[in-house]
Amino acid sequence: MKICIIGQGNVAYHFYTALKDKVETVKVNSRTLTGFVQDADVYVIAVSDDAIEATSRNVINNLNDKITVRPIIVHTSGSSPILKPDNDRYKTGVIYPAQTLSKHIKTNYSAIPFFIEGSDKSSEEILAHIAGLISDNVRNAKSECRQKIHLAAVFACNFTNHLWVLAEEILKEKGLDFEILKPLIKETLNKVENTSPFYVQTGPAVRYDKTTINSHLNSLKYNPDTLDIYALITKSIQKHHECH
Amino acid sequence: MKICIIGQGNVAYHFYTALKDKVETVKVNSRTLTGFVQDADVYVIAVSDDAIEATSRNVINNLNDKITVRPIIVHTSGSSPILKPDNDRYKTGVIYPAQTLSKHIKTNYSAIPFFIEGSDKSSEEILAHIAGLISDNVRNAKSECRQKIHLAAVFACNFTNHLWVLAEEILKEKGLDFEILKPLIKETLNKVENTSPFYVQTGPAVRYDKTTINSHLNSLKYNPDTLDIYALITKSIQKHHECH
């Protein structure tokens, strides 16, 4: 098996790092296709969602007419639908790692949940095999399902991280370090270990503590974007708990 | 030393649990003052912010004229200012645990950051001693500073937990379990272990990935509150990163 990874971003980097010692793997510049190989079994297009279509077109155009295997052209995106093959010279698929990946941060690959889709049964099996070389946590998921997982992941990871950025900013105003919130953040995570986050909601919003909410809104008045986020999430918490 | 804890909520419960084996501690119903003792050195008013003023008034009115010690009347709120003593028969203070506490969830007390304030030096020392019986992480913080810590904690903890509620809801639409996001959430926390969350922001917002953002907004159109939260946090992420 030979895998050709196309892309220079975080996901391409980690796919290459996770696979290079386990299977023949080459990494290719997505813009120039420098290093492109004709005989890969799987082409992994790990580029931004906006560039998947054009990059896959490029890869298909570069495939030699004489190749005998039908390679699988794969993307790694949570939110893009599986590519539709427009001829029978190749198959398509998706390997979506539901994980936040940054180049400079080491990750425990074996715990990453991978979601697999293939244009046919055999591609699905091959992709599950490849994901299985990286992780112990591999499942099938059709595009519509995968899109929901990705959307949920944006809330649970990207947006959560941004709330921490806002918290850090608030502390900096008083010369305080983000470090002091770490025990709290860890405990927030511990609390959902065995239960739904719904049941462990705490804070002024769920207590309908108007005095505190008003004092918070007041102290955010010079930061209207953060104030809007405060008001909106507070309203959403209260709506979720109003029938309970 | 004798401590009288007033309240029936999560914070009162955990203060009592953490202190009862270390110092003479009684717990009192905040509405009826059933079990109230005259000779406590410290009265800990652990009630909702809206009720602190009335409860402290009640406690003060119940203090016998003949007591010889000057007790410290303390609240545990992040966002309420320290009570102002209106005569010299008592002192005041704050013991604020920057932690999310739920009755049914065990907590590692020794890691909780406690923030202390006292109406004079000696109350501050006594309160730091009491907090030190619970935790290894005790600091002084005046009211204005503590309010910022509390506001930051609302973002980092309460609001984060609510984003997980929204993520869980999105997954449920497809019969998927919140469990699949746990590795991602853990990694989100790992990534800020040694760096500011600003530097590890990932996701469609910071990539300005319009295709994905539009597809997410589209899939949230039947849930306008969650859609507004998505749009607002996306905008805030992009504003934070636009100069970088």
Side-chain angles (χ1 to χ4, degrees):
Chain A
M1 171 121 64
K2 194 167 183 172
I3 297 175
C4 179
I5 294 163
I6 296 137
Q8 290 91 248
N10 294 323
V11 175
Y13 170 85
H14 282 290
F15 260 98
Y16 181 73
T17 306
L19 286 171
K20 69 179 165 44
D21 297 330
K22 299 186 172 160
V23 57
E24 190 179 347
T25 310
V26 295
K27 195 158 160 294
V28 170
N29 183 309
S30 55
R31 299 242 164 78
T32 57
L33 289 195
T34 312
F36 188 79
V37 291
Q38 288 289 341
D39 57 344
D41 301 281
V42 179
Y43 294 89
V44 178
I45 297 173
V47 299
S48 74
D49 287 19
D50 294 348
I52 290 172
E53 190 63 38
T55 308
S56 71
R57 187 56 40 217
N58 235 343
V59 167
I60 292 158
N61 291 340
N62 267 272
L63 287 178
N64 194 311
D65 283 347
K66 291 167 199 119
I67 56 165
T68 50
V69 291
R70 281 175 74 198
I72 313 172
I73 297 181
V74 165
H75 73 66
T76 61
S77 159
S79 52
S80 298
I82 186 170
L83 293 160
K84 284 211 169 47
D86 54 7
N87 65 54
D88 60 6
R89 292 179 48 229
Y90 62 95
K91 300 185 280 187
T92 60
V94 181
I95 306 185
Y96 166 54
Q99 187 52 287
T100 169
L101 298 166
S102 298
K103 267 184 202 171
H104 52 290
I105 293 178
K106 278 196 180 174
T107 300
N108 172 18
Y109 294 124
S110 67
I112 299 177
F114 273 86
F115 295 91
I116 300 299
E117 185 175 6
S119 59
D120 66 358
K121 188 88 190 139
S122 84
S123 350
E124 224 152 69
E125 281 164 10
I126 292 166
L127 299 181
H129 170 74
I130 293 169
L133 296 174
I134 305 176
S135 164
D136 305 327
N137 191 349
V138 180
R139 305 160 202 228
N140 292 331
K142 296 284 176 214
S143 291
E144 206 194 341
C145 205
R146 188 177 63 252
Q147 282 163 3
K148 290 287 180 189
I149 296 166
H150 184 242
L151 176 58
V154 167
F155 278 89
C157 160
N158 307 146
F159 287 179
T160 289
N161 187 75
H162 186 62
L163 292 186
W164 298 344
V165 169
L166 299 180
E168 186 178 42
E169 255 175 29
I170 291 163
L171 292 176
K172 268 189 188 158
E173 288 172 37
K174 292 283 160 197
L176 293 159
D177 200 278
F178 182 61
E179 206 56 38
I180 63 172
L181 292 179
K182 295 271 178 77
L184 179 60
I185 290 173
K186 278 181 192 152
E187 181 67 11
T188 307
L189 181 52
N190 285 344
K191 284 172 81 171
V192 299
E193 195 57 61
N194 299 307
T195 187
S196 154
F198 179 83
Y199 298 110
V200 292
Q201 186 68 54
T202 55
V206 74
R207 286 199 309 270
Y208 283 78
D209 180 345
K210 281 187 196 165
T211 309
T212 302
I213 293 168
N214 288 335
S215 118
H216 284 165
L217 291 172
N218 192 50
S219 85
L220 287 170
K221 66 185 173 205
Y222 299 110
N223 194 343
D225 292 332
T226 308
L227 184 141
D228 286 351
I229 291 173
Y230 186 100
L232 213 50
I233 298 183
T234 292
K235 191 180 80 171
S236 180
I237 291 172
Q238 295 184 336
K239 274 205 179 179
H240 277 79
H241 286 268
E242 69 192 355
C243 327
H244 294 268
Chain B
M1 172 122 64
K2 193 166 182 173
I3 297 175
C4 178
I5 295 163
I6 297 136
Q8 289 91 248
N10 294 323
V11 175
Y13 170 85
H14 282 290
F15 259 98
Y16 181 73
T17 307
L19 287 171
K20 68 179 165 43
D21 298 330
K22 298 184 174 163
V23 57
E24 191 180 345
T25 309
V26 295
K27 196 159 160 290
V28 170
N29 184 309
S30 54
R31 298 243 165 79
T32 58
L33 289 195
T34 312
F36 188 79
V37 290
Q38 288 290 340
D39 57 343
D41 301 281
V42 179
Y43 293 89
V44 178
I45 297 173
V47 299
S48 74
D49 288 17
D50 294 348
I52 291 172
E53 190 63 38
T55 309
S56 70
R57 186 57 41 215
N58 236 342
V59 167
I60 292 158
N61 291 341
N62 268 272
L63 287 178
N64 195 309
D65 282 347
K66 290 166 199 118
I67 57 165
T68 50
V69 290
R70 281 175 72 198
I72 313 171
I73 298 181
V74 165
H75 73 65
T76 61
S77 158
S79 53
S80 298
I82 186 170
L83 294 160
K84 283 209 171 46
D86 54 6
N87 63 55
D88 60 5
R89 292 179 48 227
Y90 63 96
K91 301 186 279 185
T92 61
V94 180
I95 306 184
Y96 165 54
Q99 187 53 287
T100 169
L101 298 167
S102 298
K103 268 184 200 169
H104 51 290
I105 294 179
K106 277 196 181 174
T107 300
N108 172 17
Y109 294 123
S110 67
I112 300 177
F114 273 85
F115 295 91
I116 300 300
E117 186 175 6
S119 58
D120 65 359
K121 188 87 191 140
S122 84
S123 349
E124 224 152 72
E125 281 164 10
I126 292 167
L127 299 180
H129 169 74
I130 293 170
L133 295 173
I134 305 176
S135 164
D136 304 326
N137 191 351
V138 180
R139 306 160 202 227
N140 291 332
K142 295 284 176 213
S143 291
E144 206 193 340
C145 204
R146 188 178 63 252
Q147 281 163 3
K148 290 287 182 188
I149 296 166
H150 184 243
L151 176 58
V154 167
F155 278 89
C157 161
N158 307 145
F159 287 179
T160 289
N161 186 75
H162 186 62
L163 292 186
W164 298 344
V165 170
L166 300 180
E168 186 178 43
E169 256 176 27
I170 291 163
L171 292 175
K172 268 190 189 157
E173 288 172 37
K174 293 282 161 197
L176 293 159
D177 200 278
F178 182 62
E179 207 54 41
I180 64 172
L181 293 179
K182 295 270 179 79
L184 178 60
I185 290 173
K186 278 180 191 153
E187 182 67 9
T188 306
L189 181 52
N190 286 343
K191 284 172 82 172
V192 299
E193 195 57 59
N194 300 306
T195 187
S196 154
F198 179 83
Y199 297 111
V200 293
Q201 186 67 55
T202 56
V206 74
R207 286 199 310 271
Y208 283 78
D209 180 343
K210 280 186 197 165
T211 309
T212 302
I213 294 168
N214 288 335
S215 117
H216 284 165
L217 290 172
N218 191 51
S219 86
L220 287 171
K221 66 185 173 206
Y222 299 111
N223 194 343
D225 292 331
T226 308
L227 185 141
D228 285 350
I229 291 173
Y230 186 99
L232 212 51
I233 298 183
T234 293
K235 191 180 80 171
S236 180
I237 291 172
Q238 295 185 336
K239 275 204 178 179
H240 276 78
H241 286 269
E242 68 191 358
C243 327
H244 295 268

